[in-house]
Short mmCIF file of all heavy atoms in Angstrom, two decimals:
data_model
loop_
_atom_site.label_atom_id
_atom_site.label_comp_id
_atom_site.label_asym_id
_atom_site.label_seq_id
_atom_site.Cartn_x
_atom_site.Cartn_y
_atom_site.Cartn_z
N MET A 1453 50.53 34.25 -18.84
CA MET A 1453 51.28 33.16 -18.25
C MET A 1453 50.47 32.55 -17.12
O MET A 1453 49.80 33.24 -16.38
CB MET A 1453 52.60 33.70 -17.74
CG MET A 1453 53.61 32.66 -17.50
SD MET A 1453 55.23 33.41 -17.39
CE MET A 1453 56.14 31.97 -17.64
N LEU A 1454 50.50 31.22 -17.03
CA LEU A 1454 49.74 30.53 -16.00
C LEU A 1454 50.40 30.68 -14.64
O LEU A 1454 51.62 30.63 -14.51
CB LEU A 1454 49.60 29.05 -16.34
CG LEU A 1454 48.76 28.71 -17.55
CD1 LEU A 1454 48.81 27.21 -17.82
CD2 LEU A 1454 47.32 29.13 -17.33
N ARG A 1455 49.55 30.82 -13.65
CA ARG A 1455 50.07 30.87 -12.30
C ARG A 1455 50.25 29.46 -11.78
O ARG A 1455 49.68 28.50 -12.31
CB ARG A 1455 49.12 31.64 -11.40
CG ARG A 1455 49.02 33.11 -11.79
CD ARG A 1455 48.14 33.85 -10.85
NE ARG A 1455 46.84 33.18 -10.79
CZ ARG A 1455 45.79 33.64 -10.18
NH1 ARG A 1455 45.84 34.78 -9.56
NH2 ARG A 1455 44.65 32.98 -10.16
N ALA A 1456 51.00 29.31 -10.72
CA ALA A 1456 51.28 27.99 -10.15
C ALA A 1456 50.01 27.33 -9.64
O ALA A 1456 49.85 26.11 -9.77
CB ALA A 1456 52.30 28.13 -9.01
N SER A 1457 49.06 28.09 -9.10
CA SER A 1457 47.82 27.50 -8.59
C SER A 1457 46.97 26.95 -9.73
O SER A 1457 46.33 25.90 -9.58
CB SER A 1457 47.04 28.53 -7.77
OG SER A 1457 46.65 29.61 -8.59
N GLN A 1458 46.94 27.61 -10.88
CA GLN A 1458 46.19 27.11 -12.02
C GLN A 1458 46.80 25.81 -12.55
O GLN A 1458 46.07 24.89 -12.93
CB GLN A 1458 46.14 28.15 -13.13
CG GLN A 1458 45.26 29.33 -12.82
CD GLN A 1458 45.32 30.39 -13.90
OE1 GLN A 1458 46.33 30.51 -14.59
NE2 GLN A 1458 44.24 31.14 -14.05
N ILE A 1459 48.10 25.74 -12.58
CA ILE A 1459 48.78 24.53 -13.04
C ILE A 1459 48.50 23.39 -12.07
O ILE A 1459 48.21 22.26 -12.48
CB ILE A 1459 50.30 24.77 -13.18
CG1 ILE A 1459 50.56 25.77 -14.31
CG2 ILE A 1459 51.04 23.46 -13.45
CD1 ILE A 1459 52.00 26.22 -14.40
N LEU A 1460 48.54 23.68 -10.78
CA LEU A 1460 48.28 22.65 -9.76
C LEU A 1460 46.84 22.14 -9.85
O LEU A 1460 46.61 20.93 -9.81
CB LEU A 1460 48.57 23.21 -8.37
CG LEU A 1460 48.36 22.25 -7.21
CD1 LEU A 1460 49.29 21.06 -7.32
CD2 LEU A 1460 48.54 22.95 -5.89
N VAL A 1461 45.89 23.03 -10.00
CA VAL A 1461 44.48 22.63 -10.07
C VAL A 1461 44.23 21.81 -11.32
O VAL A 1461 43.56 20.77 -11.26
CB VAL A 1461 43.57 23.88 -10.02
CG1 VAL A 1461 42.14 23.53 -10.40
CG2 VAL A 1461 43.61 24.52 -8.65
N SER A 1462 44.77 22.21 -12.45
CA SER A 1462 44.55 21.45 -13.68
C SER A 1462 45.24 20.09 -13.61
O SER A 1462 44.70 19.09 -14.11
CB SER A 1462 45.01 22.23 -14.90
OG SER A 1462 46.40 22.49 -14.83
N THR A 1463 46.39 20.00 -12.99
CA THR A 1463 47.08 18.72 -12.83
C THR A 1463 46.28 17.80 -11.91
O THR A 1463 46.13 16.60 -12.20
CB THR A 1463 48.50 18.94 -12.26
OG1 THR A 1463 49.21 19.81 -13.13
CG2 THR A 1463 49.24 17.63 -12.13
N LEU A 1464 45.76 18.32 -10.82
CA LEU A 1464 44.95 17.51 -9.90
C LEU A 1464 43.65 17.06 -10.56
O LEU A 1464 43.21 15.92 -10.35
CB LEU A 1464 44.65 18.29 -8.62
CG LEU A 1464 45.85 18.49 -7.68
CD1 LEU A 1464 45.46 19.36 -6.50
CD2 LEU A 1464 46.40 17.17 -7.23
N ALA A 1465 43.04 17.92 -11.35
CA ALA A 1465 41.80 17.54 -12.05
C ALA A 1465 42.09 16.44 -13.06
O ALA A 1465 41.31 15.48 -13.19
CB ALA A 1465 41.19 18.74 -12.73
N LEU A 1466 43.19 16.53 -13.78
CA LEU A 1466 43.55 15.49 -14.74
C LEU A 1466 43.86 14.18 -14.03
O LEU A 1466 43.42 13.11 -14.47
CB LEU A 1466 44.76 15.94 -15.56
CG LEU A 1466 45.26 14.97 -16.62
CD1 LEU A 1466 44.19 14.74 -17.67
CD2 LEU A 1466 46.53 15.49 -17.25
N ALA A 1467 44.55 14.22 -12.91
CA ALA A 1467 44.87 13.00 -12.15
C ALA A 1467 43.60 12.37 -11.57
O ALA A 1467 43.44 11.14 -11.59
CB ALA A 1467 45.86 13.33 -11.04
N ALA A 1468 42.68 13.18 -11.07
CA ALA A 1468 41.43 12.66 -10.53
C ALA A 1468 40.58 12.02 -11.62
O ALA A 1468 39.96 10.98 -11.42
CB ALA A 1468 40.66 13.77 -9.82
N SER A 1469 40.57 12.63 -12.79
CA SER A 1469 39.82 12.06 -13.92
C SER A 1469 40.40 10.72 -14.35
O SER A 1469 39.66 9.76 -14.61
CB SER A 1469 39.82 13.02 -15.10
OG SER A 1469 39.22 14.23 -14.76
N ALA A 1470 41.71 10.64 -14.42
CA ALA A 1470 42.36 9.39 -14.80
C ALA A 1470 42.10 8.31 -13.75
O ALA A 1470 41.84 7.15 -14.09
CB ALA A 1470 43.86 9.61 -14.98
N ALA A 1471 42.13 8.66 -12.48
CA ALA A 1471 41.88 7.68 -11.43
C ALA A 1471 40.43 7.21 -11.45
O ALA A 1471 40.14 6.03 -11.24
CB ALA A 1471 42.21 8.29 -10.06
N ALA A 1472 39.50 8.11 -11.73
CA ALA A 1472 38.09 7.73 -11.78
C ALA A 1472 37.80 6.82 -12.95
O ALA A 1472 37.01 5.88 -12.84
CB ALA A 1472 37.22 8.98 -11.85
N LEU A 1473 38.43 7.06 -14.08
CA LEU A 1473 38.19 6.24 -15.26
C LEU A 1473 38.83 4.86 -15.16
O LEU A 1473 38.33 3.89 -15.72
CB LEU A 1473 38.70 6.95 -16.51
CG LEU A 1473 37.89 8.16 -16.94
CD1 LEU A 1473 38.56 8.86 -18.11
CD2 LEU A 1473 36.48 7.76 -17.31
N SER A 1474 39.92 4.75 -14.46
CA SER A 1474 40.62 3.46 -14.39
C SER A 1474 40.39 2.75 -13.06
O SER A 1474 40.94 1.68 -12.84
CB SER A 1474 42.11 3.67 -14.60
OG SER A 1474 42.64 4.43 -13.53
N GLY A 1475 39.57 3.30 -12.19
CA GLY A 1475 39.44 2.78 -10.85
C GLY A 1475 38.51 1.61 -10.66
O GLY A 1475 38.50 0.99 -9.61
N CYS A 1476 37.70 1.26 -11.65
CA CYS A 1476 36.71 0.22 -11.39
C CYS A 1476 37.34 -1.16 -11.32
O CYS A 1476 36.93 -2.00 -10.55
CB CYS A 1476 35.59 0.25 -12.42
SG CYS A 1476 36.05 -0.39 -14.02
N GLY A 1477 38.32 -1.46 -12.14
CA GLY A 1477 39.01 -2.74 -12.07
C GLY A 1477 38.30 -3.88 -12.74
O GLY A 1477 38.79 -5.00 -12.74
N GLN A 1478 37.14 -3.67 -13.32
CA GLN A 1478 36.41 -4.73 -14.01
C GLN A 1478 37.06 -4.97 -15.36
O GLN A 1478 37.24 -4.05 -16.14
CB GLN A 1478 34.94 -4.33 -14.19
CG GLN A 1478 34.10 -5.32 -14.95
CD GLN A 1478 33.77 -6.54 -14.14
OE1 GLN A 1478 33.71 -6.48 -12.92
NE2 GLN A 1478 33.57 -7.65 -14.81
N ARG A 1479 37.39 -6.21 -15.64
CA ARG A 1479 37.97 -6.54 -16.94
C ARG A 1479 36.96 -7.34 -17.74
O ARG A 1479 36.22 -8.14 -17.20
CB ARG A 1479 39.24 -7.36 -16.77
CG ARG A 1479 40.35 -6.55 -16.15
CD ARG A 1479 41.59 -7.39 -16.05
NE ARG A 1479 42.64 -6.59 -15.44
CZ ARG A 1479 43.89 -6.63 -15.83
NH1 ARG A 1479 44.25 -7.44 -16.78
NH2 ARG A 1479 44.77 -5.89 -15.25
N GLY A 1480 36.98 -7.12 -19.02
CA GLY A 1480 36.08 -7.87 -19.89
C GLY A 1480 34.72 -7.20 -19.98
O GLY A 1480 34.45 -6.18 -19.36
N PRO A 1481 33.84 -7.79 -20.76
CA PRO A 1481 32.52 -7.19 -20.95
C PRO A 1481 31.64 -7.36 -19.72
O PRO A 1481 31.80 -8.30 -18.95
CB PRO A 1481 31.94 -7.97 -22.13
CG PRO A 1481 32.65 -9.29 -22.09
CD PRO A 1481 34.02 -9.00 -21.57
N LEU A 1482 30.73 -6.43 -19.55
CA LEU A 1482 29.79 -6.52 -18.45
C LEU A 1482 28.69 -7.50 -18.83
O LEU A 1482 28.33 -7.63 -19.99
CB LEU A 1482 29.18 -5.16 -18.15
CG LEU A 1482 30.18 -4.09 -17.70
CD1 LEU A 1482 29.46 -2.76 -17.51
CD2 LEU A 1482 30.85 -4.50 -16.41
N TYR A 1483 28.14 -8.20 -17.86
CA TYR A 1483 27.10 -9.19 -18.14
C TYR A 1483 26.16 -9.29 -16.95
O TYR A 1483 26.50 -8.91 -15.84
CB TYR A 1483 27.71 -10.56 -18.44
CG TYR A 1483 28.43 -11.16 -17.24
CD1 TYR A 1483 27.78 -12.04 -16.39
CD2 TYR A 1483 29.74 -10.83 -16.95
CE1 TYR A 1483 28.40 -12.57 -15.29
CE2 TYR A 1483 30.38 -11.36 -15.85
CZ TYR A 1483 29.72 -12.23 -15.03
OH TYR A 1483 30.34 -12.76 -13.93
N LEU A 1484 24.99 -9.80 -17.19
CA LEU A 1484 24.04 -10.08 -16.11
C LEU A 1484 24.13 -11.56 -15.79
O LEU A 1484 23.95 -12.40 -16.68
CB LEU A 1484 22.62 -9.73 -16.54
CG LEU A 1484 22.34 -8.24 -16.73
CD1 LEU A 1484 20.95 -8.04 -17.31
CD2 LEU A 1484 22.47 -7.52 -15.42
N PRO A 1485 24.42 -11.93 -14.55
CA PRO A 1485 24.52 -13.35 -14.22
C PRO A 1485 23.17 -14.03 -14.34
O PRO A 1485 22.15 -13.50 -13.94
CB PRO A 1485 25.03 -13.35 -12.78
CG PRO A 1485 24.73 -12.00 -12.25
CD PRO A 1485 24.68 -11.07 -13.41
N GLY A 1486 23.17 -15.23 -14.93
CA GLY A 1486 21.93 -15.95 -15.11
C GLY A 1486 21.86 -17.23 -14.32
O GLY A 1486 20.90 -17.99 -14.45
N ALA A 1487 22.86 -17.49 -13.49
CA ALA A 1487 22.89 -18.72 -12.70
C ALA A 1487 21.80 -18.68 -11.63
O ALA A 1487 21.42 -17.60 -11.14
CB ALA A 1487 24.25 -18.89 -12.05
N PRO A 1488 21.27 -19.83 -11.24
CA PRO A 1488 20.23 -19.85 -10.20
C PRO A 1488 20.71 -19.27 -8.87
O PRO A 1488 19.92 -18.70 -8.14
CB PRO A 1488 19.91 -21.34 -10.05
CG PRO A 1488 20.35 -21.97 -11.31
CD PRO A 1488 21.49 -21.15 -11.82
N GLU A 1489 22.00 -19.40 -8.57
CA GLU A 1489 22.51 -18.85 -7.30
C GLU A 1489 22.41 -17.33 -7.30
O GLU A 1489 22.25 -16.70 -6.26
CB GLU A 1489 23.96 -19.24 -7.07
CG GLU A 1489 24.26 -20.72 -7.11
CD GLU A 1489 24.56 -21.22 -8.51
OE1 GLU A 1489 25.21 -20.53 -9.30
OE2 GLU A 1489 24.09 -22.32 -8.82
N ALA A 1490 22.54 -16.71 -8.47
CA ALA A 1490 22.52 -15.25 -8.54
C ALA A 1490 21.13 -14.70 -8.26
O ALA A 1490 20.99 -13.55 -7.85
CB ALA A 1490 22.98 -14.80 -9.92
N ARG A 1491 20.09 -15.48 -8.45
CA ARG A 1491 18.73 -14.99 -8.20
C ARG A 1491 18.45 -14.80 -6.72
O ARG A 1491 17.55 -14.07 -6.35
CB ARG A 1491 17.73 -15.94 -8.81
CG ARG A 1491 17.83 -15.96 -10.31
CD ARG A 1491 16.81 -16.84 -10.93
NE ARG A 1491 17.07 -16.87 -12.37
CZ ARG A 1491 16.58 -17.77 -13.18
NH1 ARG A 1491 15.79 -18.70 -12.73
NH2 ARG A 1491 16.87 -17.74 -14.46
N GLN A 1492 19.21 -15.46 -5.87
CA GLN A 1492 19.01 -15.35 -4.43
C GLN A 1492 19.76 -14.17 -3.82
O GLN A 1492 19.59 -13.87 -2.65
CB GLN A 1492 19.45 -16.65 -3.73
CG GLN A 1492 18.69 -17.87 -4.18
CD GLN A 1492 17.20 -17.75 -3.91
OE1 GLN A 1492 16.81 -17.25 -2.87
NE2 GLN A 1492 16.39 -18.19 -4.85
N ARG A 1493 20.59 -13.53 -4.60
CA ARG A 1493 21.36 -12.40 -4.09
C ARG A 1493 20.50 -11.16 -3.99
O ARG A 1493 19.52 -11.00 -4.71
CB ARG A 1493 22.54 -12.10 -5.02
CG ARG A 1493 23.55 -13.19 -5.05
CD ARG A 1493 24.70 -12.80 -5.92
NE ARG A 1493 25.56 -13.96 -6.15
CZ ARG A 1493 26.36 -14.08 -7.18
NH1 ARG A 1493 26.43 -13.12 -8.08
NH2 ARG A 1493 27.11 -15.14 -7.32
N ALA A 1494 20.88 -10.26 -3.10
CA ALA A 1494 20.15 -9.01 -2.94
C ALA A 1494 20.48 -8.08 -4.10
O ALA A 1494 21.59 -8.07 -4.61
CB ALA A 1494 20.53 -8.34 -1.63
N THR A 1495 19.51 -7.29 -4.49
CA THR A 1495 19.72 -6.28 -5.51
C THR A 1495 20.27 -5.02 -4.85
O THR A 1495 20.29 -4.92 -3.61
CB THR A 1495 18.41 -5.95 -6.24
OG1 THR A 1495 17.49 -5.44 -5.29
CG2 THR A 1495 17.84 -7.18 -6.94
N LEU A 1496 20.69 -4.06 -5.65
CA LEU A 1496 21.26 -2.83 -5.09
C LEU A 1496 20.26 -2.09 -4.21
O LEU A 1496 20.61 -1.69 -3.09
CB LEU A 1496 21.78 -1.93 -6.21
CG LEU A 1496 22.42 -0.62 -5.75
CD1 LEU A 1496 23.64 -0.89 -4.87
CD2 LEU A 1496 22.80 0.23 -6.92
N PRO A 1497 19.01 -1.88 -4.63
CA PRO A 1497 18.07 -1.19 -3.71
C PRO A 1497 17.84 -1.95 -2.42
O PRO A 1497 17.68 -1.36 -1.36
CB PRO A 1497 16.78 -1.09 -4.53
CG PRO A 1497 17.21 -1.17 -5.94
CD PRO A 1497 18.42 -2.06 -5.95
N GLU A 1498 17.81 -3.28 -2.48
CA GLU A 1498 17.63 -4.06 -1.26
C GLU A 1498 18.84 -3.94 -0.34
O GLU A 1498 18.72 -3.96 0.88
CB GLU A 1498 17.41 -5.53 -1.60
CG GLU A 1498 16.11 -5.80 -2.28
CD GLU A 1498 16.01 -7.22 -2.81
OE1 GLU A 1498 17.02 -7.93 -2.87
OE2 GLU A 1498 14.89 -7.60 -3.16
N THR A 1499 20.02 -3.79 -0.92
CA THR A 1499 21.23 -3.64 -0.13
C THR A 1499 21.28 -2.28 0.55
O THR A 1499 21.67 -2.17 1.71
CB THR A 1499 22.47 -3.81 -1.02
OG1 THR A 1499 22.38 -5.06 -1.69
CG2 THR A 1499 23.75 -3.75 -0.22
N LEU A 1500 20.85 -1.23 -0.16
CA LEU A 1500 20.93 0.12 0.39
C LEU A 1500 19.89 0.38 1.47
O LEU A 1500 20.18 1.04 2.46
CB LEU A 1500 20.78 1.14 -0.73
CG LEU A 1500 21.90 1.12 -1.77
CD1 LEU A 1500 21.59 2.11 -2.88
CD2 LEU A 1500 23.23 1.42 -1.14
N SER A 1501 18.68 -0.13 1.29
CA SER A 1501 17.64 0.09 2.29
C SER A 1501 16.80 -1.18 2.41
O SER A 1501 15.73 -1.26 1.82
CB SER A 1501 16.78 1.29 1.92
OG SER A 1501 16.21 1.08 0.65
N PRO A 1502 17.27 -2.16 3.17
CA PRO A 1502 16.55 -3.43 3.25
C PRO A 1502 15.17 -3.32 3.89
O PRO A 1502 14.30 -4.11 3.61
CB PRO A 1502 17.47 -4.33 4.07
CG PRO A 1502 18.36 -3.40 4.80
CD PRO A 1502 18.47 -2.16 3.97
N VAL A 1503 14.95 -2.32 4.72
CA VAL A 1503 13.66 -2.19 5.39
C VAL A 1503 12.60 -1.73 4.39
O VAL A 1503 11.48 -2.21 4.41
CB VAL A 1503 13.77 -1.18 6.55
CG1 VAL A 1503 12.42 -0.92 7.18
CG2 VAL A 1503 14.76 -1.68 7.58
N LEU A 1504 12.96 -0.82 3.51
CA LEU A 1504 11.98 -0.28 2.58
C LEU A 1504 11.65 -1.23 1.45
O LEU A 1504 10.55 -1.18 0.91
CB LEU A 1504 12.52 1.04 1.98
CG LEU A 1504 12.74 2.16 2.99
CD1 LEU A 1504 13.34 3.37 2.30
CD2 LEU A 1504 11.45 2.55 3.67
N THR A 1505 12.58 -2.10 1.07
CA THR A 1505 12.35 -2.96 -0.08
C THR A 1505 12.08 -4.40 0.30
O THR A 1505 12.09 -5.27 -0.55
CB THR A 1505 13.55 -2.91 -1.03
OG1 THR A 1505 14.71 -3.34 -0.30
CG2 THR A 1505 13.75 -1.53 -1.60
N ALA A 1506 11.82 -4.66 1.57
CA ALA A 1506 11.52 -6.03 1.98
C ALA A 1506 10.21 -6.46 1.35
O ALA A 1506 9.28 -5.67 1.22
CB ALA A 1506 11.43 -6.12 3.50
N PRO A 1507 10.13 -7.71 0.91
CA PRO A 1507 8.89 -8.14 0.28
C PRO A 1507 7.72 -8.10 1.26
O PRO A 1507 7.83 -8.51 2.42
CB PRO A 1507 9.18 -9.57 -0.17
CG PRO A 1507 10.37 -9.99 0.59
CD PRO A 1507 11.12 -8.75 0.98
N ALA A 1508 6.62 -7.59 0.79
CA ALA A 1508 5.44 -7.47 1.66
C ALA A 1508 4.76 -8.82 1.76
O ALA A 1508 4.68 -9.57 0.80
CB ALA A 1508 4.49 -6.43 1.08
N THR A 1509 4.29 -9.10 2.95
CA THR A 1509 3.55 -10.35 3.14
C THR A 1509 2.10 -10.10 2.77
O THR A 1509 1.54 -9.04 3.06
CB THR A 1509 3.66 -10.83 4.59
OG1 THR A 1509 3.14 -9.81 5.44
CG2 THR A 1509 5.11 -11.12 4.96
N THR A 1510 1.51 -11.06 2.15
CA THR A 1510 0.10 -10.91 1.79
C THR A 1510 -0.77 -11.26 2.99
O THR A 1510 -0.53 -12.26 3.67
CB THR A 1510 -0.26 -11.84 0.61
OG1 THR A 1510 0.05 -13.17 0.98
CG2 THR A 1510 0.51 -11.46 -0.63
N PRO A 1511 -1.72 -10.41 3.29
CA PRO A 1511 -2.57 -10.69 4.45
C PRO A 1511 -3.46 -11.91 4.18
O PRO A 1511 -3.92 -12.13 3.07
CB PRO A 1511 -3.40 -9.43 4.62
CG PRO A 1511 -3.37 -8.78 3.28
CD PRO A 1511 -2.07 -9.18 2.63
N THR A 1512 -3.65 -12.68 5.20
CA THR A 1512 -4.52 -13.86 5.06
C THR A 1512 -5.97 -13.42 5.20
O THR A 1512 -6.28 -12.53 6.02
CB THR A 1512 -4.19 -14.91 6.12
OG1 THR A 1512 -4.33 -14.31 7.40
CG2 THR A 1512 -2.77 -15.43 5.95
N PRO A 1513 -6.85 -13.98 4.43
CA PRO A 1513 -8.26 -13.59 4.53
C PRO A 1513 -8.82 -14.06 5.88
O PRO A 1513 -8.39 -15.06 6.44
CB PRO A 1513 -8.93 -14.29 3.35
CG PRO A 1513 -7.98 -15.39 2.98
CD PRO A 1513 -6.63 -14.98 3.39
N PRO A 1514 -9.79 -13.35 6.41
CA PRO A 1514 -10.37 -13.75 7.68
C PRO A 1514 -11.10 -15.10 7.53
O PRO A 1514 -11.58 -15.43 6.45
CB PRO A 1514 -11.34 -12.63 8.02
CG PRO A 1514 -11.59 -11.92 6.75
CD PRO A 1514 -10.38 -12.13 5.88
N ALA A 1515 -11.12 -15.81 8.61
CA ALA A 1515 -11.80 -17.13 8.59
C ALA A 1515 -13.30 -16.93 8.38
O ALA A 1515 -13.89 -15.97 8.89
CB ALA A 1515 -11.54 -17.85 9.89
N SER A 1516 -13.86 -17.80 7.60
CA SER A 1516 -15.30 -17.68 7.36
C SER A 1516 -16.07 -18.12 8.60
O SER A 1516 -15.71 -19.05 9.29
CB SER A 1516 -15.70 -18.51 6.15
OG SER A 1516 -15.42 -19.87 6.41
N VAL A 1517 -17.13 -17.42 8.86
CA VAL A 1517 -17.97 -17.70 10.03
C VAL A 1517 -19.07 -18.65 9.57
O VAL A 1517 -19.80 -18.35 8.62
CB VAL A 1517 -18.54 -16.40 10.60
CG1 VAL A 1517 -19.44 -16.68 11.78
CG2 VAL A 1517 -17.44 -15.45 10.94
N PRO A 1518 -19.22 -19.80 10.25
CA PRO A 1518 -20.30 -20.70 9.85
C PRO A 1518 -21.67 -20.09 10.15
O PRO A 1518 -21.85 -19.41 11.15
CB PRO A 1518 -20.08 -21.95 10.70
CG PRO A 1518 -19.10 -21.57 11.76
CD PRO A 1518 -18.43 -20.33 11.32
N GLN A 1519 -22.63 -20.35 9.32
CA GLN A 1519 -23.94 -19.75 9.51
C GLN A 1519 -24.99 -20.75 9.86
O GLN A 1519 -25.09 -21.84 9.61
CB GLN A 1519 -24.34 -19.00 8.26
CG GLN A 1519 -23.34 -17.90 8.05
CD GLN A 1519 -23.88 -16.81 7.15
OE1 GLN A 1519 -25.07 -16.78 6.84
NE2 GLN A 1519 -23.02 -15.92 6.76
#
């Protein structure tokens, strides 16, 4: 016979699984936006660590010395 704690744990695990599966709220198919405005948005890695993923500037070549 199941104890009350086993029933409680299995009920909580089932409720957590149901909440995780239905929690996203996105309706319809997933898609990648192709509009020009979407290209200016930050990507997920840029959002999480903007310092590490900032675009690197290209160094300018030194000025040529006249001879």
Side-chain angles (χ1 to χ4, degrees):
M1453 197 163 197
L1454 293 176
R1455 294 183 306 188
S1457 63
Q1458 289 176 332
I1459 294 172
L1460 180 63
V1461 167
S1462 62
T1463 303
L1464 289 176
L1466 180 63
S1469 299
L1473 289 174
S1474 66
C1476 75
Q1478 177 75 27
R1479 292 182 180 219
L1482 298 177
Y1483 65 94
L1484 292 173
E1489 305 88 38
R1491 294 183 185 163
Q1492 300 300 320
R1493 294 183 191 157
T1495 61
L1496 181 61
E1498 291 171 347
T1499 304
L1500 296 176
S1501 58
V1503 175
L1504 297 177
T1505 59
T1509 59
T1510 57
T1512 58
S1516 61
V1517 178
Q1519 298 200 11

